[in-house]
Amino acid sequence: MVAIVTPMHADGSVDWDSFEKLIDWHIAEGTDGIVAVGTTGESATLGFREHDEVIERTVDLVDKRVPVIAGTGGNATDEAIRLTRHAKRAGADACLLVTPYYNKPTQEGLYRHFHAIAMAVDIPQVLYNVPSRTGVDMLPETVGRLCEIDNIVALKEAKGSIERIHDLIEHVGDGMDIYSGDDGTAMESMLVGARGDISVTANVAPKLMHEMCAAAIAGERERAEILDARLQPLHTNLFLEPNPIPVKWALYEMGYIGPGIRLPMTPLSDHFHGPVRDALSGVVSID
């Protein structure tokens, strides 16, 4: 599944025409699901109305061809509930809920936060743990408690640790699906039991990422390793600066979107253009 960017014009306004073309391209290339307004979609710099509109338009443009997962997390529980309620009304298939950021809740606080959202909105919910971004790490024991809630169906784990994936699977059993949120370790995560990857790299190489994920989920290690070896330069170089800076520049270089990105994020530094372009050249055609 692609953690899709939100295309923007040079002035920072949302570029809806490019967004439509991106979604159609992803579906044609085999992307299995669209995850809108997550970290890569610049949820942190979109206003409430823009956030809502990206979800609405994603649902309309996808038109039930693949599942739509809407990013609706927040560092305030009431805010996350409000966003999640809107996503349900808009027709999203599920919601992606990041752990609260900056305020660093306890494990009990994390449990109560996600429990409150699940009780408030009857929609499938995918939790999202990304300690490098949020400053808080939701432990497997807490996830094990949350998997007992019926509409909490999955976790996107972005710690980047295969040991953590093992621990999570041990704690949740069949109670929820575990997805990788770290492209560099996604293949190994799927080979040990993760159900897929919510991917940044898929923004620029959707077909190859789909094929790698399918091979890894099927346990076809040799084929998965061959495909992932082609993708590894992207897994690395798309994080030379904070996401989504490199991936938006890469899509601009490929001709799919304009140059827009919102402050405090800035365009990719000139000295990283070469490494990102080289990573792209091994996988995709650049006009």
Side-chain angles (χ1 to χ4, degrees), residues 56-77:
E56 291 163 5
R57 293 217 187 193
T58 303
V59 171
D60 289 344
L61 293 169
V62 170
D63 194 23
K64 301 187 184 301
R65 290 177 289 175
V66 297
V68 172
I69 301 176
T72 60
N75 62 342
T77 304

Side-chain angles (χ1 to χ4, degrees), residues 64-128:
K64 301 187 184 301
R65 290 177 289 175
V66 297
V68 172
I69 301 176
T72 60
N75 62 342
T77 304
D78 286 348
E79 177 184 324
I81 290 172
R82 177 242 182 258
L83 291 168
T84 304
R85 281 178 173 153
H86 172 267
K88 181 181 180 180
R89 289 195 300 269
D93 296 287
C95 290
L96 179 72
L97 292 147
V98 69
T99 55
Y101 39 87
Y102 183 74
N103 47 19
K104 300 178 75 170
T106 64
Q107 296 299 306
E108 182 63 22
L110 291 171
Y111 175 81
R112 294 188 189 187
H113 171 80
F114 288 122
H115 181 274
I117 301 166
M119 294 301 101
V121 193
D122 184 16
I123 188 173
Q125 297 178 16
V126 181
L127 311 184
Y128 177 18

Side-chain angles (χ1 to χ4, degrees), residues 13-280:
S13 61
V14 178
D15 181 354
W16 299 114
D17 289 339
S18 293
F19 196 49
E20 180 175 1
K21 292 173 185 175
L22 270 185
I23 286 174
D24 286 342
W25 177 58
H26 273 287
I27 293 171
E29 290 286 290
T31 296
D32 297 288
I34 306 292
V35 182
V37 280
T39 305
T40 313
E42 290 178 86
S43 58
T45 59
L46 295 177
F48 269 129
R49 182 59 209 144
E50 289 176 313
H51 192 122
D52 290 347
E53 189 172 5
V54 172
I55 294 170
E56 291 163 5
R57 293 217 187 193
T58 303
V59 171
D60 289 344
L61 293 169
V62 170
D63 194 23
K64 301 187 184 301
R65 290 177 289 175
V66 297
V68 172
I69 301 176
T72 60
N75 62 342
T77 304
D78 286 348
E79 177 184 324
I81 290 172
R82 177 242 182 258
L83 291 168
T84 304
R85 281 178 173 153
H86 172 267
K88 181 181 180 180
R89 289 195 300 269
D93 296 287
C95 290
L96 179 72
L97 292 147
V98 69
T99 55
Y101 39 87
Y102 183 74
N103 47 19
K104 300 178 75 170
T106 64
Q107 296 299 306
E108 182 63 22
L110 291 171
Y111 175 81
R112 294 188 189 187
H113 171 80
F114 288 122
H115 181 274
I117 301 166
M119 294 301 101
V121 193
D122 184 16
I123 188 173
Q125 297 178 16
V126 181
L127 311 184
Y128 177 18
N129 188 48
V130 54
S132 64
R133 286 271 186 174
T134 63
V136 63
D137 184 12
M138 185 162 59
L139 300 179
E141 294 80 4
T142 304
V143 178
R145 294 176 66 195
L146 288 163
C147 80
E148 298 175 3
I149 301 170
D150 287 345
N151 59 328
I152 294 180
V153 299
L155 169 73
K156 175 185 176 182
E157 175 55 61
K159 190 175 175 68
S161 163
I162 304 303
E163 182 180 357
R164 171 59 63 88
I165 298 294
H166 276 293
D167 288 347
L168 286 165
I169 291 172
E170 180 179 331
H171 275 85
V172 305
D174 296 328
M176 71 162 59
D177 291 332
I178 303 299
Y179 289 88
S180 173
D182 176 72
D183 284 324
T185 57
M187 181 198 71
E188 288 294 345
S189 295
M190 288 180 282
L191 285 168
V192 301
R195 300 295 299 162
D197 181 27
I198 298 178
S199 170
V200 175
T201 298
N203 276 282
V204 298
K207 184 177 181 180
L208 193 57
M209 279 298 300
H210 165 81
E211 292 173 351
M212 186 277 287
C213 289
I217 292 167
E220 299 171 0
R221 174 174 284 277
E222 183 176 355
R223 174 167 169 74
E225 286 179 341
I226 290 169
L227 295 169
D228 197 55
R230 294 178 60 194
L231 291 160
Q232 278 296 331
L234 284 171
H235 297 338
T236 299
N237 291 342
L238 290 180
F239 292 90
L240 289 172
E241 289 187 328
N243 180 46
I245 290 172
V247 74
K248 291 197 88 172
W249 184 86
L251 283 166
Y252 174 59
E253 183 79 353
M254 294 167 67
Y256 281 104
I257 67 172
I261 193 166
R262 286 190 182 175
L263 289 170
M265 309 307 281
T266 52
L268 184 68
S269 300
D270 290 349
H271 59 279
F272 289 133
H273 289 190
V276 175
R277 189 180 288 116
D278 288 345
L280 283 173

